[in-house]
């Protein structure tokens, strides 16, 4: 019992040290699990992914499980910082390291890449060659725009011309679409698409946002190769000056940027006297756009609104009372822009608060020169 109490005390002291106080794989604070074969402290979520690698990693709770003295000694010698020097020795600069709130497929493939495939130890240049190759080609299952079924399509991501192309047939010479990497965003959407490896690809097309919904049964392909690693690399090659100046704070969060908020709301027309209709909304922090669609898996939005800053006449507030114009929901939002006033209705008060918080997050941020240009272009297009 004395050894048990002593070992538990040592582990609790170890996990509070700098480096160990964050999950080795997603940087979540206060990890309370550890891999005693790898010598790293991890959070509960990541420990579950380690359990899927039984030949590589074995985990225990540092609070609830019994720890033999030899295992504790190994944790003392190793720890997160020492493990990082081994397993993340050769991580490419452009590689996106998942965070606590990223989706499972990203974190799972990061953990597998580090510990199972040992891609970043420097033992094998094969993986570095894959990351730095000029193009990558793979089939993905893509949702059809008309028939709504997922069909097999061939995708080609190229650094030669910084484009993503996809082809209807394997032997097709002419692509169905050619997408500039400059306008491309990839967002993992497993719940929306209904597949654990679901990916939403969005890009600009004729002043609209075009969405492609794809998946692959192999998480390695969808997360690690096709649009996750190569998109990072391509962006860095396209804009190296941005990489040198502000990569760590500005570029990385945008590589696979998630929407700030998504969900259903009811909206009325431009005079606010029209009947309310249920629409799916997506709010994006990167381009300050609020898109609305008929359903979550629509290929193109029905309309959008630009969200500027408070100093330029944009504001948001709550309004209550059930609509008398066909709406069923009673938790309202009033969004004011220089050109129009919008009224939205939410089903739950919690959703109303979340949307208002998301709007205010954008409105509170100053506009960049690019934002000013986008706002001017949108106004001219109306």
């Amino acid at each position: 019992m004395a050894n048990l109490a002593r070992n538990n005390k040592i582990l609790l002291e170890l996990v509070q040290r700098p480096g160990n106080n964050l999950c080795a794989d997603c940087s979540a604070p206060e990890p309370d699990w550890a891999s005693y074969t790898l010598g790293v402290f991890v959070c509960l979520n990541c420990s579950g992914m380690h359990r899927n690698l039984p030949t590589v990693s074995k985990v225990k709770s540092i609070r609830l499980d019994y720890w033999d003295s030899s295992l504790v000694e190994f944790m003392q010698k190793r720890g997160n910082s020492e493990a990082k020097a081994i397993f993340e020795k050769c991580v490419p600069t452009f590689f996106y390291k998942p965070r606590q709130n990223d989706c499972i497929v990203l974190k799972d493939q990061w953990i597998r890449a580090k510990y199972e495939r040992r891609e970043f130890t420097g033992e094998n240049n094969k993986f570095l060659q894959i990351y730095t190759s000029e193009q990558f080609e793979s089939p993905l299952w893509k949702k059809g725009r008309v028939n709504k079924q997922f069909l097999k399509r061939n995708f080609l991501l190229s650094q030669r011309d910084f484009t993503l192309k996809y082809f209807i047939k394997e032997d097709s010479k002419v692509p169905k679409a050619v997408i500039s990497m400059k306008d491309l965003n990839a967002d993992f959407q497993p719940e929306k698409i209904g597949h654990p490896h679901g990916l939403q690809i969005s890009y600009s097309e004729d002043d609209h946002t075009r969405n492609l919904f794809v998946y692959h049964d192999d998480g390695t392909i969808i997360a690690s190769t096709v649009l996750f690693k190569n998109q990072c690399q391509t962006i860095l090659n396209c804009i190296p000056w941005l990489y040198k100046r502000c990569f760590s704070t500005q570029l990385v969060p945008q590589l696979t940027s998630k929407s700030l908020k998504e969900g259903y709301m009811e909206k009325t027309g431009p005079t606010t006297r029209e009947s309310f209709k249920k629409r799916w909304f997506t709010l994006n922090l990167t381009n300050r756009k609020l898109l609305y669609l008929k359903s979550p898996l629509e290929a193109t939005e029905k309309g959008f609104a630009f969200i500027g800053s408070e100093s330029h006449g944009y504001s948001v507030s709550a309004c209550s009372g059930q609509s008398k114009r066909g709406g069923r929901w009673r938790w309202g939002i009033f969004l004011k822009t220089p050109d129009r006033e919008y009224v939205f209705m939410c089903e739950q008060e919690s959703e109303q608060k979340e949307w208002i918080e998301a709007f205010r997050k954008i409105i509170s941020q100053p506009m960049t020169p690019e934002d000013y240009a986008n706002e001017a272009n949108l106004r001219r297009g109306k």
Side-chain angles (χ1 to χ4, degrees):
M1 292 297 294
N3 284 341
L4 176 62
R6 171 182 169 273
N7 288 341
N8 286 342
K9 182 180 178 181
I10 292 174
L11 288 171
L12 293 177
E13 290 176 351
L14 285 175
V15 80
Q16 295 177 26
R17 294 181 182 178
N20 294 340
N21 62 339
L22 299 176
C23 173
D25 299 319
C26 75
S27 298
E30 302 178 0
D32 51 9
W33 288 75
S35 168
Y36 59 86
T37 54
L38 297 172
V40 295
F41 293 91
V42 296
C43 67
L44 175 62
N45 288 334
C46 288
S47 73
M49 299 174 210
H50 277 257
R51 290 184 187 277
N52 294 329
L53 308 175
T55 60
V56 176
S57 180
K58 298 184 183 297
V59 295
K60 285 177 178 284
S61 168
I62 63 174
R63 300 180 186 274
L64 303 176
D65 291 329
Y66 171 79
W67 283 77
D68 185 80
S69 295
S70 62
L71 299 181
V72 175
E73 291 175 5
F74 177 65
M75 297 301 299
Q76 287 179 299
K77 293 178 182 178
R78 178 61 65 83
N80 289 4
S81 297
E82 288 294 325
K84 183 177 181 179
I86 298 172
F87 297 107
E88 298 184 31
K89 178 182 178 181
C90 300
V91 177
T93 307
F94 55 79
F95 195 97
Y96 177 80
K97 298 179 182 180
R99 302 165 188 170
Q100 179 182 2
N101 295 325
D102 280 322
C103 66
I104 293 176
V105 63
L106 271 180
K107 291 188 284 188
D108 178 65
Q109 289 304 317
W110 166 239
I111 290 170
R112 289 181 180 276
K114 278 205 298 183
Y115 307 121
E116 184 179 50
R117 298 192 293 270
R118 300 175 69 92
E119 294 184 14
F120 313 120
T121 60
E123 301 170 8
N124 193 332
N125 290 331
K126 176 185 71 173
F127 297 107
L128 182 60
Q129 292 172 358
I130 293 175
Y131 301 144
T132 57
S133 62
E134 292 187 348
Q135 65 180 35
F136 183 88
E137 187 173 5
S138 176
L140 298 175
W141 292 88
K142 173 189 169 293
K143 180 178 179 291
R145 189 171 185 174
V146 178
N147 60 19
K148 310 300 183 182
Q149 295 180 339
F150 280 88
L151 302 173
K152 191 176 181 180
R153 298 288 183 254
N154 209 42
F155 282 74
L156 175 65
L157 188 64
S158 173
Q159 288 191 57
R160 296 172 183 172
D161 55 3
F162 305 112
T163 61
L164 171 68
K165 304 180 180 76
Y166 76 88
F167 302 81
I168 299 293
K169 299 180 180 180
E170 291 186 12
D171 57 353
S172 296
K173 301 299 181 182
V174 180
K176 175 66 175 179
V178 179
I179 306 164
S180 170
M181 288 300 300
K182 179 182 177 182
D183 303 320
L184 180 66
N185 180 63
D187 189 1
F188 286 92
Q189 294 279 9
E191 293 183 1
K192 181 191 290 187
I193 295 174
H195 192 281
H197 305 150
L199 187 73
Q200 177 177 336
I201 304 169
S202 302
Y203 60 96
S204 298
E205 182 183 72
D206 299 329
D207 296 326
H208 290 279
T209 299
R210 177 79 164 89
N211 300 312
L212 305 179
F213 302 98
V214 301
Y215 73 84
H216 196 287
D217 289 329
D218 187 343
T220 305
I221 291 178
I222 199 69
S224 301
T225 317
V226 182
L227 295 171
F228 168 48
K229 298 175 183 176
N230 285 278
Q231 184 189 358
C232 303
Q233 181 183 357
T234 304
I235 291 178
L236 296 184
N237 282 317
C238 286
I239 43 177
W241 61 272
L242 179 60
Y243 161 68
K244 293 177 182 177
R245 291 174 54 188
C246 56
F247 174 80
S248 61
T249 58
Q250 295 183 28
L251 186 57
V252 169
Q254 298 179 18
L255 295 181
T256 53
S257 61
K258 296 186 66 175
S259 300
L260 190 59
K261 173 70 177 169
E262 283 192 316
Y264 280 110
M265 290 192 291
E266 291 183 334
K267 72 173 291 293
T268 183
T271 67
T272 70
R273 291 190 295 270
E274 296 85 353
S275 61
F276 278 81
K277 296 181 179 180
K278 184 178 177 181
R279 294 288 183 257
W280 178 267
F281 287 84
T282 298
L283 183 60
N284 194 302
L285 179 61
T286 307
N287 59 17
R288 307 183 76 120
K289 276 186 178 182
L290 175 69
L291 308 178
Y292 64 90
L293 310 90
K294 274 191 172 183
S295 67
L297 297 181
E298 288 294 316
T300 307
E301 84 280 2
K302 288 185 66 65
F304 61 85
F306 180 84
I307 313 297
S309 62
E310 185 176 7
S311 60
H312 289 81
Y314 294 83
S315 64
V316 65
S317 60
C319 58
S320 59
Q322 190 168 4
S323 165
K324 297 180 181 179
R325 298 186 300 279
R328 297 178 292 107
W329 299 341
R330 57 185 295 257
W331 301 100
I333 298 173
F334 180 70
L335 176 66
K336 184 178 180 180
T337 76
D339 298 324
R340 178 178 167 182
E341 296 177 346
Y342 295 85
V343 177
F344 309 113
M345 304 299 290
C346 300
E347 186 175 17
Q348 304 290 338
E349 183 181 13
S350 59
E351 294 174 351
Q352 177 199 47
K353 291 180 178 179
E354 290 173 1
W355 275 108
I356 290 177
E357 181 182 353
F359 281 125
R360 286 177 176 166
K361 183 173 182 178
I362 294 181
I363 291 173
S364 65
Q365 294 192 8
M367 292 168 59
T368 65
E370 184 179 359
D371 292 332
Y372 285 114
N374 289 337
E375 182 187 40
N377 291 335
L378 293 175
R379 284 185 171 180
R380 282 196 294 267
K382 290 183 176 179

